[in-house]
């Protein structure tokens, strides 16, 4: 749970920073949103393809418990997280009905809280869920389902 807290504090801080960066870019180069939306959607589609084709991971043994700093570093050093945050602003910032600064803060907060709930549930139930997917066949099926769902998200981002 300390790593989870570190990850989500870093998520909120980085998301707010990206959002305010988007405000500055949006004023000068509004076409950047469309370019990022297309490029990011294609990147998410590529991740979906890689996930669809992946198999089971080998168990490397017990690891030490992750700390607060580990969670924060996981977010800060994760380029996929930056892409997701940027894509989120291409979807929700432009048509916001509240002021732009408030929109960035609301989007960042909702995004972070949504992730916190999902990550916490996954952490609490992860071992039980993972036990059902330890075989190569079940892991491939699960990854295929996740890949298909992620591909659907990429297509939704392109059309929305």
């Amino acid at each position: 749970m300390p790593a989870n807290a570190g990850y989500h504090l870093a998520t909120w801080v980085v998301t707010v920073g990206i959002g305010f960066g988007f405000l500055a870019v949006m004023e000068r180069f509004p076409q950047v949103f469309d370019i990022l939306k297309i490029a990011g959607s294609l990147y998410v589609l590529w991740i979906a393809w890689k996930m669809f084709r992946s198999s089971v991971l080998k168990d490397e043994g017990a690891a030490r418990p992750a700390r607060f700093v580990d969670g924060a570093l996981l977010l800060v050093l994760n380029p996929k997280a930056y892409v997701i945050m940027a894509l989120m602003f291409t979807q929700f910032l432009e048509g916001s009905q509240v002021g732009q600064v408030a929109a960035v803060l609301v989007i960042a907060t909702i995004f972070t809280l949504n992730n916190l709930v999902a990550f916490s549930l996954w952490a609490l139930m992860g071992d039980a869920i993972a036990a059902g997917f330890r075989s190569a066949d079940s892991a491939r099926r699960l990854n295929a389902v996740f890949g298909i769902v992620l591909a659907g998200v990429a297509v939704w981002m392109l059309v929305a």
Side-chain angles (χ1 to χ4, degrees):
M1 289 316 245
N4 200 3
Y7 184 90
H8 288 93
L9 178 61
T11 296
W12 191 85
V13 170
V14 170
T15 304
V16 167
I18 289 173
F20 287 134
F22 263 77
L23 288 178
V25 170
M26 189 171 68
E27 289 178 15
R28 300 179 101 184
F29 309 103
Q31 67 276 17
V32 168
F33 271 80
D34 293 331
I35 293 167
L36 284 174
K37 182 177 173 180
I38 293 167
S41 297
L42 294 174
Y43 179 65
V44 170
L45 197 55
W46 178 78
I47 293 171
W49 175 249
K50 298 293 278 182
M51 184 177 288
F52 183 81
R53 296 188 42 156
S54 66
S55 61
V56 69
L57 293 174
K58 302 286 187 231
D59 188 9
E60 299 294 327
R64 70 168 173 76
R67 300 167 301 176
F68 182 89
V69 172
D70 298 323
L73 284 174
L74 178 63
L75 181 277
V76 171
L77 299 175
N78 183 355
K80 288 181 278 204
Y82 288 85
V83 170
I84 291 166
M85 291 170 193
L87 288 173
M88 179 184 55
F89 284 108
T90 68
Q91 297 292 318
F92 301 113
L93 186 59
E94 199 170 21
S96 175
Q97 301 299 319
V98 297
Q100 291 181 327
V101 170
V104 167
L105 296 174
V106 167
I107 291 168
T109 301
I110 290 172
F111 176 71
T112 302
L113 291 173
N114 179 65
N115 283 342
L116 178 62
V117 169
F119 283 40
S120 297
L121 288 173
W122 186 260
L124 292 171
M125 299 181 330
D127 285 338
I129 293 169
F133 296 100
R134 295 230 191 269
S135 77
D137 286 339
S138 60
R140 274 192 286 281
R141 283 192 299 275
L142 179 65
N143 288 336
V145 168
F146 284 163
I148 290 167
V149 170
L150 193 55
V153 169
V155 170
W156 170 74
M157 288 175 7
L158 277 171
V159 246

